[in-house]
Amino acid sequence: MLLASCYFYMSFIPVYILILGFTIVIDYVAGIYLEKFSGKKRKYFLIASLIANIGVLAVFKYYNFFIDNFNSLGSWWGMQGNLPYLGIILPIGLSFHTFQAMSYTIEVYRGNQKAEKHFGIYSLYVMFYPQLVAGPIERPQNLLHQFREKHLFNYDRVLAGLKLMTWGLFKKVVIADRLSLYTDAVYNNPSQHGGLTIILATIFFAFQIYCDFSGYSDMAIGSARVMGFDLMTNFKMPYFSRSIGEFWKRWHISLSTWFKDYLYIPLGGNRVAVSRIYFNLLLVFMISGIWHGANWTFVVWGALNGVYLVVEMLFQKVKPPFLNQPKIKETGWYIVTSTLLTFTLTCIAWVFFRATSVADAGLLLKNALQFNHAFFSDKTTLSYGFAGLLFLVLIERNMEKRKSSLPFECKHWWLNQWLYISLIILILMIGVFDGGQFIYFQF
Amino acid sequence: MGWGLQKMYFSQKSGERYSITYALDSTHADLLIFGSSRASHHYIPTVFKDSLQLTCFNTGKDGEGISYNYALLLGIVSRYKPSYILLDISEGSFYKKRASPDNLVAFMPYFNTGHSALREIVVKRNQFEKLKLFSAIYPYNSTLISSLKGINNNQPDNLSGYLPLYGHLNIGTLPVLSNQSKNEIDSDKIEDLTNFIHVCKSYHIRLYILQSPVFMIESNGPAFAVLNNLLVNEGVPFFNFSGYLNTSDYFKDAAHLNNEGAQLYSKMLAGLIKNRH
């Protein structure tokens, strides 16, 4: 399995395996010494491990971003800012790998996890190929022990895994990649579009990124399940959320809980003064933003989500008491209004996530309110896109009711299998096979 | 299902997909026009036919670039040899883009209908194509809506591939143009253009390469110099009309002439070709 994972990673840029090798050796040794020593020495090993991981990220992911900003700042102050850039491509999935590695050393430091003595098993924990490049970011308590267990062939598990993979592939190629044809055309030419086109492209992007990322997660979880491994759930139908707080409990759960466990709670969590809670939330979300990419757009996206959460918490304090009554919260108008409001706020934030610069995002938001541009009508993409979205919403609504991760669970065996075969036929018939990469691979 | 989709696909009587089928399997036109949407909206076959006394068909397709055109040319010359080809190019399409506009999969329905040369090109571009082509459904990927539309349209295509645009350019919505010089030239596309020229030469087809009118967009990026050098070295006539008809009345948008503009441009070009021969 480790060899397969190495091959998988090396099929991108082979030499980059050395970067993973570097952090693996450091974290493996740090884990052993964290368990061996006590007192201050343990802290040093933890710090060494964190510096190694964050250092690798800083060099490969953020160096050029820092230099770019430093040079710009220098020019602004009238100095000649010409520090050299690094001509490197970001190693695929580096942010996911380093965060999973850090969760190991932190958990060993906290005493929640025993240090892994077997170098191969530890390496596999941070290189397990289904989730190596785009998560879910696993915790050692959930995954490490599974590599020591014997996994016998289990027909039901294999079938369930294949079904989940099929659903993930459907979301990726039928919905996400189809919608991307429209969103790319609009977002790559922000000055050419306005009003309804930008609004529609943004809604499409919201579903594109969801289907792209949750599709990958489904395929990762499904393929691991086929091999007998259980990975954590990463998405729980986030666009049915009725508040931003709920959205973040349903979206990219493995990252949200990572930040909660390893940053928000150590900063004081909910046990500090209210103003400090607000500050911590903003800080965590801004760091979460920059985790996604070395661009101010991601920082603004994170900050905006942090602001949403703070405003939501403030609103909880001042909103009329009748809005807190359980009866009201279950009424149709409350559900629809709160769901749509949450979705709208999320979409506004996605503009920054998708735009290539903050200036472009500003232009898109400004143009979205101007309706003098012609509507960009790509009829084929719109037809397939809307049909796919309708299908997705209906299926996920049903999945939400059933509390299931599988799209179909019929009583009749033959009907169940036929529905999954239909999904495969739809993938072949209307999927977009242009080799479009997963969005989160770049992180 | 694959059989049903195939039947539907080849029963189309109009539309873009029908034009591909017609170009590959039926046309014997003396003059063929190749290019992207700028070809399909700018070159009127009836104008060339009346002026040059040559039959003409426009194979231009929205969103396609030189790779598509090269593959289409290979498919056509395996059946017959046209006398003239007008290839419309635009400098901007020779830069690397996040998503390649070339949709070679548009040729998949023809793999099993005697166009093996196309199959080789598409399969070479993507290592997984061979695997996907085990499915009889996959070659007809994303063709369902166009097939249904093409079947239901009883009006035959009498414009020989020309797609007229109506209306005028709204100058207020003109885009702010990005700096092309920041982009990298796509060497694959330059290679495809070179191959296109070589195929024309080997079949003794008279080739004209043109850049048709654009509204207030200058074609002076680094790709333009590369293209110019290539065409001079190959001895292919190149006409840059990007500054021609620079009036918003003749444009539908910054990159496309309206029907009025296309009429004027086609007449001018037909006259030019007539004078040269």
Side-chain angles (χ1 to χ4, degrees), chain A residues 178 184 188 191-192 354 356 372-374 379-380 383-384 425-435 442, chain B residues 1 5 98-99 105 126 129 132 135 137-138 140-146 149 170 172-177:
Chain A
R178 177 69 63 185
D184 286 354
N188 291 344
S191 59
Q192 288 187 37
R354 175 60 185 83
T356 44
N372 57 346
H373 289 72
K379 284 175 190 161
T380 308
S383 309
Y384 286 120
I425 291 172
L426 281 173
I427 289 168
L428 288 166
M429 266 176 76
I430 58 172
V432 175
F433 294 91
D434 65 347
Q442 63 187 296
Chain B
M1 276 199 84
L5 288 167
R98 259 179 68 183
V105 290
N126 186 337
E129 283 308 312
K132 287 186 270 186
S135 160
I137 296 171
Y138 178 66
Y140 304 96
N141 174 270
S142 301
T143 64
L144 186 65
I145 292 177
S146 62
K149 265 178 16 192
N170 176 3
T173 61
L174 271 181
V176 177
L177 296 167

Side-chain angles (χ1 to χ4, degrees), chain B residues 8 10 18 64 74 89 113 120 176 178 194 205 207 261 276:
Chain B
M8 279 169 67
F10 287 105
Y18 166 76
E64 302 297 2
L74 286 183
I89 59 169
T113 58
E120 279 166 33
V176 177
S178 59
T194 312
I205 300 168
L207 171 67
R276 285 178 69 95

